[in-house]
Amino acid sequence: MKSTRILIVDDEETLCEVLKLNLENEGYDVDVALSAEQALTYCLPNYSLILLDIMMGEISGIKMAKMLKADVATAQIPIIFCTARDTEDDMVMGLNLGADDYIMKPYTVRNIVARVKSVLRRTSPSKSYAAEEKPNTLRADGLLLDLDFKRCMIDGAEVKLVRKEFEILAYLLLHRGKICSREQILNHVWSNEVVVLDRTVDVNITRLRSKIGIYGSYIITRSGFGYGFRN
């Protein structure tokens, strides 16, 4: 069976070696890059997940993440930011870039391993939607979600959504005409092992609305209750 490859990008060599050892003990194939510049020399599309520090050399983790998301060959690789930048604004910025998780230093190796497992479960190509999430397409006027190929089409043109945006939109469409609480959305899109804030849902909804154009207005906010997709 093909192993799961993880790339750690961090300029703290000792920390990298500790993470590498513990992740390899979990059965993952792990590589280390001590800078974004070094990481960019690797064959990045071969990796299943990237653990990325923010504060590095000339190419920061933020800049590298933007480069990854702008390249169709690497746009869907999950990214977990591991950083000492611990303000809410920093976290929101990381999520806005399409990161799948944001872990603040100092952290425990046990926490990192749990987060890695959770993100990989959530983003695995073998992941199937539940039976309630069939048929394989969801439509609202000119908005079409292809659940098999994970594509969002707006009036026949594809719109690039990151994985969490796609899953939130699919969940709202599946429960069209109902208001879904933030807790319900969090439980569906994020594993219970991952600690995320309610604001994470708000950030992703805001980003999603901006991407789907006129259909952004179809996503309804009910203050104190949650979100829905109108009939």
Side-chain angles (χ1 to χ4, degrees), residues 2-56:
K2 184 178 178 181
S3 62
T4 299
R5 298 189 65 188
I6 296 173
L7 177 60
I8 302 170
V9 187
D10 196 309
D11 57 7
E12 295 184 46
E13 186 171 0
T14 301
L15 175 61
C16 288
E17 290 306 315
V18 170
L19 288 178
K20 175 179 169 69
L21 175 63
N22 281 271
L23 289 169
E24 286 179 339
N25 286 341
E26 296 292 329
Y28 302 118
D29 185 0
V30 182
D31 292 324
V32 168
L34 299 179
S35 67
E37 290 86 344
Q38 180 183 359
L40 291 169
T41 67
Y42 296 174
C43 186
L44 296 178
N46 289 341
Y47 290 98
S48 302
L49 182 144
I50 296 176
L51 287 165
L52 184 58
D53 187 22
I54 288 182
M55 295 183 291
M56 294 187 286

Side-chain angles (χ1 to χ4, degrees), residues 4-221:
T4 299
R5 298 189 65 188
I6 296 173
L7 177 60
I8 302 170
V9 187
D10 196 309
D11 57 7
E12 295 184 46
E13 186 171 0
T14 301
L15 175 61
C16 288
E17 290 306 315
V18 170
L19 288 178
K20 175 179 169 69
L21 175 63
N22 281 271
L23 289 169
E24 286 179 339
N25 286 341
E26 296 292 329
Y28 302 118
D29 185 0
V30 182
D31 292 324
V32 168
L34 299 179
S35 67
E37 290 86 344
Q38 180 183 359
L40 291 169
T41 67
Y42 296 174
C43 186
L44 296 178
N46 289 341
Y47 290 98
S48 302
L49 182 144
I50 296 176
L51 287 165
L52 184 58
D53 187 22
I54 288 182
M55 295 183 291
M56 294 187 286
E58 289 188 21
I59 301 180
S60 68
I62 294 295
K63 186 173 181 179
M64 180 174 172
K66 290 179 179 178
M67 295 167 69
L68 292 171
K69 294 302 179 184
D71 187 338
V72 67
T74 56
Q76 297 304 315
I77 299 175
I79 295 173
I80 299 178
F81 279 124
C82 301
T83 177
R85 294 178 62 165
D86 58 359
T87 69
E88 183 180 11
D89 286 344
D90 289 327
M91 183 193 70
V92 170
M93 176 182 63
L95 293 173
N96 276 329
L97 286 173
D100 290 77
D101 204 348
Y102 191 100
I103 307 174
M104 300 173 189
K105 296 179 180 178
Y107 46 69
T108 65
V109 172
R110 182 181 179 187
N111 183 25
I112 290 285
V113 172
R115 300 287 189 101
V116 165
K117 288 181 177 179
S118 175
V119 170
L120 287 172
R121 278 199 306 270
R122 199 167 67 236
T123 59
S124 170
S126 62
K127 177 183 175 184
S128 60
Y129 282 83
E132 67 182 19
E133 296 181 15
K134 301 300 180 181
N136 292 330
T137 60
L138 297 170
R139 179 182 290 277
D141 297 333
L143 169 64
L144 175 72
L145 285 189
D146 185 329
L147 300 183
D148 285 334
F149 287 92
K150 309 298 186 286
R151 294 190 304 172
C152 175
M153 309 295 291
I154 301 290
D155 298 325
E158 183 171 0
V159 174
K160 298 294 184 182
L161 301 181
V162 299
R163 188 172 282 105
K164 290 190 293 298
E165 294 166 356
F166 185 92
E167 293 187 351
I168 290 172
L169 183 54
Y171 186 75
L172 293 178
L173 278 168
L174 284 164
H175 297 84
R176 191 172 179 178
K178 298 180 181 179
I179 296 299
C180 303
S181 69
R182 288 179 177 83
E183 182 180 4
Q184 288 173 320
I185 296 171
L186 284 171
N187 288 339
H188 178 78
V189 177
W190 285 268
S191 165
N192 290 331
E193 293 182 25
V194 179
V195 178
V196 292
L197 304 175
D198 284 354
R199 180 167 169 76
T200 303
V201 175
D202 301 335
V203 168
N204 279 274
I205 291 284
T206 298
R207 194 169 59 203
L208 177 60
R209 279 177 170 147
S210 69
K211 287 186 176 182
I212 61 176
I214 62 171
Y215 299 102
S217 64
Y218 285 40
I219 299 177
I220 300 165
T221 303

